[in-house]
Amino acid sequence: MEKRFLNEGIQIETRKKDDGTTEDIVTGYGIVFESESRILGAWYPFIETINRNALNGVDLKEVVATFNHNFDNILARADANTLKLSIYAKGLKYEFSAPNTTYGRDLVENLKNGNVRGSSFMFTTKKDAWIEEKGQEVARREILEIDKFIEVGPVTMPAYPDTTAAKRSFEQAIEERQPKVDYDKLTEKLTQFKNRK
């Protein structure tokens, strides 16, 4: 299982309901297709993108929205019709009405104050592709097919834990080499790579 953080702005909008009360609607992009991640992997650095067809055929009926990947802080769920998931050309967008719970109200306040800005999602990989070029210290990974999309929602801090799915993908590369990484040099090379025309 893998988690990915996305620093894509979350929006909050107060809407009036038919009964005259209001609700706070939270929307954000959990996935942006073809967008490069930050450098992931502490011991084997790589940059990742999600293919725009990676969600084709994926069952989204049981996806839940949480805050900070905490399943005790559930915000909405697709099979309760409280979480709306939409796939656009840009990526996967989520939308839910913030629940009238302690963490729901706290989330709304923190979103309004700008304390919470990013989204994250949890998934398992069905198919990926790795590109390693000689002399390049950062490998590239493309998620071609997502097997299971489990959870999405706002997060406070990035979360990139090593996971069993990722470890299985890395096994062969790890056996072949254990790179020693100079992170200052790595950041400089990444900046040069991104600035290339």
Side-chain angles (χ1 to χ4, degrees):
M1 197 175 307
E2 303 182 52
K3 298 174 188 172
R4 292 292 179 271
F5 172 84
L6 182 66
N7 194 19
E8 181 75 20
I10 302 173
Q11 295 182 344
I12 185 160
E13 176 188 344
T14 302
R15 294 183 189 164
K16 193 170 186 178
K17 297 199 292 189
D18 292 339
D19 64 3
T21 61
T22 59
E23 60 183 340
D24 291 306
I25 305 296
V26 178
T27 60
Y29 275 90
I31 295 177
V32 174
F33 298 134
E34 313 294 345
S35 177
E36 289 186 352
S37 70
R38 299 186 328 159
I39 296 175
L40 306 176
W43 46 267
Y44 186 73
F46 65 98
I47 294 171
E48 185 178 83
T49 58
I50 309 285
N51 187 283
R52 63 182 60 257
N53 298 311
L55 286 169
N56 287 0
V58 176
D59 185 359
L60 300 175
K61 291 187 194 115
E62 295 184 0
V63 176
V64 296
T66 70
F67 178 50
N68 277 338
H69 295 296
N70 185 340
F71 285 82
D72 291 332
N73 292 348
I74 191 160
L75 299 164
R77 58 185 310 142
D79 56 2
N81 295 319
T82 52
L83 173 63
K84 180 182 175 186
L85 299 169
S86 305
I87 300 174
Y88 297 103
K90 179 177 178 177
L92 176 92
K93 187 175 185 179
Y94 65 87
E95 179 180 311
F96 61 85
S97 173
N100 186 21
T101 60
T102 302
Y103 52 86
R105 291 188 296 273
D106 288 348
L107 173 64
V108 168
E109 190 64 21
N110 279 310
L111 284 168
K112 287 178 178 176
N113 291 337
N115 297 329
V116 176
R117 300 177 186 171
S119 296
S120 186
F121 63 101
M122 187 183 295
F123 67 105
T124 58
T125 303
K126 186 173 185 180
K127 185 177 179 184
D128 60 4
W130 287 88
I131 300 167
E132 281 188 280
E133 295 176 5
K134 273 191 173 180
Q136 189 172 318
E137 294 184 49
V138 182
R140 303 188 82 74
R141 180 192 193 199
E142 183 178 14
I143 304 293
L144 300 171
E145 294 179 44
I146 289 175
D147 183 43
K148 189 168 183 184
F149 192 86
I150 301 159
E151 176 259 354
V152 68
V155 289
T156 308
M157 297 292 291
Y160 297 110
D162 290 329
T163 64
T164 53
K167 284 179 185 173
R168 282 197 302 272
S169 301
F170 295 146
E171 275 176 8
Q172 187 176 356
I174 293 165
E175 285 171 10
E176 291 171 358
R177 68 174 192 171
Q178 282 288 338
K180 290 182 178 155
V181 179
D182 178 342
Y183 282 96
D184 290 333
K185 185 177 173 187
L186 185 63
T187 302
E188 181 183 329
K189 284 195 171 196
L190 178 61
T191 303
Q192 290 171 354
F193 180 80
K194 285 191 169 186
N195 290 336
R196 274 194 325 202
K197 299 288 180 185

